[in-house]
């Protein structure tokens, strides 16, 4: 049972995409055992990694989109079927974020391996 995603951006900090606003937190908070963290490390070249981390830094301070989260949960339960174009449009045309959209869109933009 996992309900949240953060991105480690350097040895000390992580981007925490959460309500009410995307923020930077100390890495020790993101990795606190009480949160039951799991680390996933995508295979990146240096350029791809720098691009991804740069994209994550750009969203700090943007509001979290609670309505979109509700729509995503409905889609995950198959009540509404998701479309790739919807995710791209949400990320490109709004200032509001949810963790999955932000992270997957940035991975897609910065990693050829992820696009495959």
């Amino acid at each position: 049972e996992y309900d949240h995603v953060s991105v480690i951006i350097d040895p000390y900090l992580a981007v925490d995409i959460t309500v009410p606003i995307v923020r930077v937190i100390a890495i020790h908070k993101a990795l606190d055992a009480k949160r039951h963290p799991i680390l996933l490390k995508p295979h990146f070249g240096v350029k791809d990694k720098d691009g991804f981390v740069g994209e994550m830094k750009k969203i700090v301070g943007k509001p979290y989109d609670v309505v979109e989260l509700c729509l995503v949960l409905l889609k995950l339960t198959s009540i509404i079927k998701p479309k790739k174009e919807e995710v791209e449009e949400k990320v490109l045309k709004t200032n509001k974020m949810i963790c999955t959209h932000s992270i997957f869109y940035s991975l897609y933009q910065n990693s050829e391996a992820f696009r495959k």
Side-chain angles (χ1 to χ4, degrees):
E1 295 180 28
Y2 304 100
D3 62 359
H4 188 65
V5 179
S6 296
V7 175
I8 297 171
I9 56 172
D10 69 28
Y12 308 101
L13 301 171
V15 173
D16 191 36
I17 306 165
T18 190
V19 175
I21 195 163
V22 179
R23 62 194 175 133
V24 175
I25 62 172
I27 196 170
H28 72 271
K29 288 183 180 181
L31 298 177
D32 188 317
K34 290 183 232 173
R35 295 178 185 247
H36 305 285
I38 291 180
L39 297 177
L40 303 173
K41 182 179 179 187
H43 179 72
F44 275 133
V46 173
K47 181 180 175 187
D48 294 341
K49 183 187 109 203
D50 290 346
F52 175 68
V53 169
E55 291 296 318
M56 291 292 96
K57 288 179 179 179
K58 285 181 189 177
I59 66 171
V60 172
K62 292 190 177 188
Y64 191 87
D65 192 343
V66 177
V67 173
E68 181 63 18
L69 174 63
C70 293
L71 290 172
V72 168
L73 293 174
L74 289 173
K75 290 173 186 178
L76 290 173
T77 59
S78 298
I79 294 170
I80 300 173
K81 298 292 182 197
K83 295 179 184 173
K84 178 183 177 240
E85 297 81 23
E86 290 175 357
V87 172
E88 290 176 349
E89 183 177 338
K90 288 288 182 185
V91 172
L92 292 174
K93 295 185 178 178
T94 183
N95 259 346
K96 295 182 179 178
M97 301 286 130
I98 66 169
C99 54
T100 52
H101 284 45
S102 303
I103 292 168
F104 286 121
Y105 184 75
S106 292
L107 283 169
Y108 182 81
Q109 291 299 336
N110 291 284
S111 172
E112 185 176 333
F114 190 82
R115 287 189 293 274
K116 293 178 183 181

